[in-house]
Every structure is written in structure tokens, then in C-alpha cells.
Amino acid sequence: MIWAAGGFLILLVSGTPIVLALGIAALLAIELTTNAPISIVAQRIYGGISSFTLMAIPFFVAAGLLMEAGGIARRFVNLASALVGWITGSLYLVSIVTGTGLAAISGSGSADTAAISAVMTPEMRKRRYDIDLAASVIAASGALAAIIPPSIIMIIIAITANQSIGAMFLGGIGPGLLVMVGLMLGCWLFARRGGDAYREHEAFTLRRLWVSFVDAAPGLLVPVVIVGGIVGGIFTATEAACVALFTTLVITIFVYKELRLKDLPRIFLRAISLSATVLIIVSTASVFTWIIATQGFPAMLRDWLTGVTDSAVVFLLLVNVLLLVVGMFMESISAVLILLPILLPIAQSYGINPVQFGIITALNLSIGLVTPPYGICLYVSATVAGRRIEQVSRRVWLPLLCMLVVLMLVTFVPAISLWLPSVLL
């Protein structure tokens, strides 16, 4: 166990890519601490991705990329602008609402962040908004993709925890909407004290809202098809991903007519590349997880935690601190695959619902997407805004504070994440 964990940390700190750090550390531990044949590595790598459910990932990724290229993202921005564009600090609010909408299609935080940044950052700069705060808010909006279905992280959590993907998806809706409201409230309070740059002079009109809604309606069908089909038992998560991709193709090519057939090879090649990145991490992490399990680390951690406290409240606080720190340094999927098999049995021994614990895990790791030094969504938004990560990080406290408040609510009010699954399933 020491060889696996120590080797992994040393490699990670030295800048080794996460997939190599996981694989090399696991290989080192197998050679030095077990009698298992080296062929176990190949077996575990294959077993890690030999899952029908994991096939959903490339289809969801491709649907998200088609959404960006085919005009759905821009129409979501227009709809969000018609909905909240009359409120003080409107461009912040439009970014947040748009991020929520895009999260319901793509499942990829970095892709959503890039799409929102490309549309919103030039207008924010033109209107003299605080561009560093804008970048941090856009990053937080993109990070909603980790919570709101069809989140790729949620799929990995559901598979790892052996839970229903439909229940996990439904459980993420309430917390995701709470984060959206919290971010909007925080930005509104900031904008009220920010001077004339944030004041709006354009009135809300039902006609503009209706026109924007009608224009965006075909794109809005995609999340309805995804979540409705899974929850209704019409199809599995993988089948839902295929239907989502087909629906997105039809909308972008034949309804909006902004996507050309010659663009598809480029988009699908990018989807293959992104999906391969995710799946190779899943496969190598399965070797690392196997080593941890066979070395008895879950039992050791359980004994330590139960020795420290017999309170579920204290346990959840410790888990939140652990996941927040891990999310600052590690890619989300790797963190799930390494930590969830260890922490979930302990959480269940405290009487914590697995779906709620999965949502807590996803929310912690979504915060990690906007927290330096890893913070991939923060890097994307800062890059598009033409700012250094150090400059943007000085303003990230506002969205982080809003997200942490919601995290505490989700942690200690189980109904927020369990009410929808209990009603609809």
C-alpha cells in the first residue's frame, strides 16, 4: 500500500501525466508487495473498461461537441439573456443560466466553459465588467456539468458505487439548480455595489422571451430525451447517449442548418480523442484501485475513522475536506475511481444513503474544477479571457463561497439530493 500511494504521489508531484502515474505506481506495488503475475495488469486494465455503461461516454462527448458547433450553445445564451438580461449584473447571470443549460446536454465541464467563454467574454469586456470575476464565474458555470445530468462524473460514480444511473442523475438536479441560484445571488449582490457598468437599461419583455424560447426549443429537447428516457425506463444510459447524439445531429444539421456534413469527421475525431483520455484513466485507475483493495486499505481507513468519531456529521465533514483537497490536485474521474470504493462502504456503515454520498462526491469534485492549482475549468476560462491564472484566482472566492454553502446544504439536508429519486423512482 505504501509503495502504491507513495509512488503515485511522487510521480504526480513530478508532473507525470495522471494515467502514467497511476499505472507505474500500481505496477511497482504489484512487483514489490504481491505474488500476483504481471499479467494481472492487462486483465485489470481490460476489466476496468469492459462495461456496457461506459460506452455512454463517447456518445455524450460527441453530442456536446455537436452542440457547440451547431448553434445550440448560442441559442441557449440568447434564451438566458431574454430570461435574466434585465437584472443588474446580467452578463454574469446569463453565463450562469447558460452553463446550466449546456450542462444538461454535454456532461463536460471544460467543453461548456470554453463555449460560454467564447460567447460571453468579449461582451463582458466591452461593457467594462470585472473580467477576472467573469472568468471565475464562467468556470463555475461550466463546472455545473459535473452535477447536472448527463454528467460523465455521475456515470462513473454510479458504476463505481453500483447504483442506478437514473437515481444519480435525478439526485444531481436539485443540488445543480441550487448552485445555479447561489451563483446568481452572489453575482447579483456583487453587481449591485459595482457601479454603472452592471446596471441594465433593457426591460424584460415576454415577446423576446417567447421568441428566444421558440428558437432554442429544439435544443432543449435533448436533456428532456436523455433524463426522461433513463428515468422512464425506456432505455439505458448508453442507449440514451446514442439517442442524444442522433437528436443533436438532426437538430444541428436539419433544423438549425449550421452544421455541415464535412464538419463531422473533425468533430468525431475530437470526441474520440477526449473519450479515449477519459477511458484510459478509468482503465489504469482500476489497477490502482485493485491494489488498494487487496492491501486492506479500506478496512484500515474504516477502523481509523470509526476510532476518531462515531458521528456521521463529523465523518461527512472529514470527507468533504478530503475531497476538496484531492479535487485541487487530481482529475475528477481518477479521484472517484480511487477514493469512492474506499469511502462509500464507510459512509454506508454510518447510515448515509449511497446516492446522497455520490452527489456529495460529485459536488466536491465540481468545486475542484474551479480551484487552483488543478482547476481545469478555471484554466480554460482564464485562457479564453486572455488573463493569467493568478489574476483570475484572486476573484474565484465569490463562486467558491456560493458553491461551498450549497455543499454544506446537500451534505446535511439529504432531501435535497434524495427527494426527486424517491418520488420519480
Side-chain angles (χ1 to χ4, degrees), residues 127-153:
R127 297 264 296 271
R128 295 184 292 113
Y129 271 54
D130 184 325
I131 206 67
D132 292 331
L133 178 61
S136 65
V137 169
I138 289 172
S141 305
L144 284 169
I147 318 166
I148 293 177
S151 162
I152 292 172
I153 294 295

Side-chain angles (χ1 to χ4, degrees), residues 223-305:
V224 174
V225 168
I226 295 169
V227 179
I230 294 174
V231 173
I234 301 172
F235 36 64
T236 65
T238 302
E239 293 163 346
C242 298
V243 172
L245 177 57
F246 176 76
T247 307
T248 308
L249 268 173
V250 170
I251 291 170
T252 52
I253 294 176
F254 298 107
V255 179
Y256 292 152
K257 299 179 181 179
E258 294 192 16
L259 194 69
R260 297 167 296 180
L261 290 176
K262 68 178 185 179
D263 296 327
L264 293 182
R266 172 181 56 82
I267 292 172
F268 287 149
L269 281 173
R270 188 180 171 209
I272 291 168
S273 175
L274 292 173
S275 303
T277 301
V278 172
L279 292 174
I280 196 171
I281 290 173
V282 171
S283 63
T284 51
S286 69
V287 184
F288 193 84
T289 304
W290 177 80
I291 284 290
I292 290 174
T294 56
Q295 296 293 310
F297 183 70
M300 292 165 53
L301 184 60
R302 182 184 64 245
D303 293 342
W304 178 79
L305 284 170

Side-chain angles (χ1 to χ4, degrees), residues 189-406:
L189 291 172
F190 175 87
R192 284 188 65 192
R193 304 174 59 185
D196 292 336
Y198 300 107
R199 292 194 175 88
E200 291 300 324
H201 305 288
E202 187 174 350
F204 172 82
T205 65
L206 284 174
R207 183 179 182 281
R208 182 189 175 201
L209 179 61
W210 174 250
V211 170
S212 301
F213 174 77
V214 170
D215 192 31
L220 293 171
L221 283 175
V222 179
V224 174
V225 168
I226 295 169
V227 179
I230 294 174
V231 173
I234 301 172
F235 36 64
T236 65
T238 302
E239 293 163 346
C242 298
V243 172
L245 177 57
F246 176 76
T247 307
T248 308
L249 268 173
V250 170
I251 291 170
T252 52
I253 294 176
F254 298 107
V255 179
Y256 292 152
K257 299 179 181 179
E258 294 192 16
L259 194 69
R260 297 167 296 180
L261 290 176
K262 68 178 185 179
D263 296 327
L264 293 182
R266 172 181 56 82
I267 292 172
F268 287 149
L269 281 173
R270 188 180 171 209
I272 291 168
S273 175
L274 292 173
S275 303
T277 301
V278 172
L279 292 174
I280 196 171
I281 290 173
V282 171
S283 63
T284 51
S286 69
V287 184
F288 193 84
T289 304
W290 177 80
I291 284 290
I292 290 174
T294 56
Q295 296 293 310
F297 183 70
M300 292 165 53
L301 184 60
R302 182 184 64 245
D303 293 342
W304 178 79
L305 284 170
T306 52
V308 170
T309 179
D310 57 0
S311 167
V313 171
V314 176
F315 167 75
L316 286 172
L317 287 173
L318 291 172
V319 166
N320 279 327
V321 172
L322 172 64
L323 291 174
L324 287 171
V325 172
V326 167
M328 292 171 62
F329 298 97
M330 189 181 295
E331 189 270 335
S332 300
I333 293 174
S334 304
V336 168
L337 293 168
I338 292 171
L339 294 176
L340 193 61
I342 298 172
L343 296 174
L344 181 60
I346 305 172
Q348 290 177 295
S349 71
Y350 283 98
I352 299 165
N353 186 284
V355 173
Q356 182 198 4
F357 193 75
I359 303 300
I360 292 170
T361 302
L363 187 48
N364 271 290
L365 296 176
S366 75
I367 294 173
L369 294 176
V370 296
T371 310
Y374 176 71
I376 184 64
C377 288
L378 198 65
Y379 274 98
V380 170
S381 62
T383 300
V384 176
R387 305 290 287 174
R388 297 195 312 275
I389 192 68
E390 296 87 353
Q391 295 171 311
V392 175
S393 297
R394 287 197 291 266
R395 287 297 197 185
V396 79
W397 64 268
L398 178 60
L400 281 181
L401 179 62
C402 299
M403 297 176 85
L404 286 171
V405 169
V406 175

Side-chain angles (χ1 to χ4, degrees), residues 8 11 17-27 281 284-285 287-288 334 338:
F8 173 68
L11 289 167
I18 184 77
V19 63
L20 293 178
L22 287 168
I24 293 171
L27 185 63
I281 290 173
T284 51
V287 184
F288 193 84
S334 304
I338 292 171

